[in-house]
Amino acid sequence: MSETPAVPDGKRPTLADVAARAGVSTALVSIVMREAKGASAATRERVLQAARDIGYRPDARARLLRSQRSRLLGVQFGLQQPFHADLVEGIYAAAEPAGYQIALSAVAAGRGEQRAAETLLADRCEALVLLGPQAPAARLAELAGQLPVVSVARRLRSPIPGLEVVRTADDEGARQAVDHLVDLGHRDIAHVDGGRAPGAADRRRGYRTAMNRHGLGEHIRVLPGGLTEEEGASAARALLAARSRPTAVLAFNDRCATGVLDVFLRSGVTVPADISVVGFDDSHLARLAHIDLTTVGQDSARLARLAVGRAVARLEGEEAADGEDVVAPRLVVRGTTGAPR
């Protein structure tokens, strides 16, 4: 092997650098990196060792751009949503074995869904996976008219041609939470609502249905809430200022529940001795030891597999299942629920 100077600091190693290090032609290095025929086992190993020595990594994106297909799945996600992080992890796990790579585009303060989706389209993504999209149905229909689109964690009132749907049975999750609290002996159970967020209407309906089924219709109490800790905190302050406090609270999601817990803690309200709290999602946040939140778990790994499967099926010309995939939730009991005083 020839002795060549190290690659200059700050410069990304190239095929030519690997070739010089290994003492072979650039064309032969290209053959090895493409895993094509034409190089002996010894030569292949020498080239790969040279690449490791100088830190060369093949530019997969450039290789894809040179081909007719990008094999990229674009994923739009909420930057501040812990459950979306769980979904993204599952999407990576499902996409790579199928031969697809992932391009991410975040929705954040000052960066709306339209901008996030346009970035993915500019990256030549072949399909979009939208996590909890809040865009109007007309916008979703516009995207679905351009390429395969999978909506995750949002029920649509009516089908949109070309748009696949994968979601959790949110109403059933809320019913499980109420059933759990009633089994513990609670009757006065409040719900901190999710407003217009995806899944909020179903969770609200599930809560009302379960309360009525248990004969607790007179105790139904729905407070304005939302996706964030701040909205959960605002609802908690309203509950503490009310003439009568509930003995249990079902929050829209884990972030909202965390805001509720924070206000209770600062106000000297003991959870669960004074008030029990249930979240929704079973995100990483809920599993933290100091939060230990009872919550309704969404099967993020299954949702991700189904979403990727539907996108890939459309791209590969396979016949996808009609309608939508609805995944059952599961109650995860931790330390924030107990019997009322």
Side-chain angles (χ1 to χ4, degrees), residues 5-19 21 29 33 50-59:
V7 178
D9 290 341
K11 179 185 175 184
R12 180 174 179 171
T14 64
L15 282 178
D17 296 323
V18 177
R21 177 80 175 185
V29 173
M33 293 303 167
R52 289 191 290 268
D53 289 343
I54 65 174
Y56 173 80
R57 297 288 186 276
D59 190 339

Side-chain angles (χ1 to χ4, degrees), residues 8-302:
D9 290 341
K11 179 185 175 184
R12 180 174 179 171
T14 64
L15 282 178
D17 296 323
V18 177
R21 177 80 175 185
V24 299
S25 67
T26 303
L28 189 54
V29 173
S30 178
I31 287 172
V32 172
M33 293 303 167
R34 288 185 288 111
E35 298 183 357
K37 296 180 180 180
S40 67
T43 299
R44 189 177 299 277
E45 178 55 33
R46 188 163 83 248
V47 168
L48 292 175
Q49 184 59 53
R52 289 191 290 268
D53 289 343
I54 65 174
Y56 173 80
R57 297 288 186 276
D59 190 339
R61 181 68 62 87
R63 184 170 65 250
L64 289 172
L65 290 174
R66 288 192 295 270
S67 67
Q68 293 184 347
R69 293 188 57 186
S70 69
R71 301 192 72 83
L72 275 176
L73 301 180
V75 179
Q76 173 188 294
F77 69 104
L79 190 62
Q80 300 300 321
Q81 297 304 320
F83 180 61
H84 287 189
D86 295 341
L87 286 170
V88 168
E89 184 176 344
I91 288 171
Y92 271 114
E96 291 182 356
Y100 285 82
Q101 295 188 42
I102 299 302
L104 298 177
S105 189
V107 176
R111 191 175 196 266
E113 289 189 8
Q114 181 157 344
R115 176 59 180 155
E118 287 173 351
T119 300
L120 295 171
L121 294 175
D123 280 346
R124 293 183 65 226
C125 291
E126 295 187 337
L128 298 183
V129 178
L130 310 178
L131 306 186
Q134 300 190 55
R139 171 58 177 164
L140 297 179
E142 178 185 345
L143 288 172
Q146 301 177 55
L147 75 173
V149 177
V150 182
S151 171
V152 181
R154 173 180 172 180
R155 178 202 285 269
L156 296 174
R157 292 183 179 178
S158 56
I160 295 176
L163 181 70
E164 310 279 348
V165 175
V166 176
R167 65 179 181 86
T168 295
D170 290 290
D171 52 351
E172 172 60 24
R175 287 196 294 269
Q176 288 181 16
V178 172
D179 289 349
H180 167 65
L181 292 169
V182 171
D183 287 345
L184 289 172
H186 294 276
R187 294 177 58 81
D188 195 346
I189 304 167
H191 176 46
V192 179
D193 189 31
R196 298 174 62 86
D202 285 348
R203 296 176 196 182
R204 184 167 56 246
R205 182 174 61 253
Y207 160 76
R208 290 182 179 277
T209 299
M211 291 290 285
N212 283 318
R213 191 179 71 245
H214 288 291
L216 301 176
E218 64 186 86
H219 294 290
I220 289 175
R221 191 181 339 188
V222 178
L223 288 85
L227 291 159
T228 68
E229 293 91 346
E230 291 78 10
E231 288 161 318
S234 178
R237 285 190 287 269
L239 283 173
L240 296 182
R243 179 176 300 178
S244 64
R245 295 178 182 178
T247 62
V249 177
L250 167 61
F252 170 68
N253 67 4
D254 292 343
R255 285 187 68 193
C256 182
T258 302
V260 171
L261 291 171
D262 182 66
V263 168
F264 286 173
L265 176 65
R266 294 173 186 273
S267 303
V269 174
T270 304
V271 176
D274 296 326
I275 303 180
S276 289
V277 178
V278 182
F280 206 112
D281 288 343
D282 193 26
S283 63
H284 284 105
L285 185 66
R287 304 167 207 163
L288 295 175
H290 67 287
I291 295 179
D292 196 32
L293 180 67
T294 294
T295 184
V296 178
Q298 300 197 65
D299 190 341
S300 59
R302 179 163 171 74

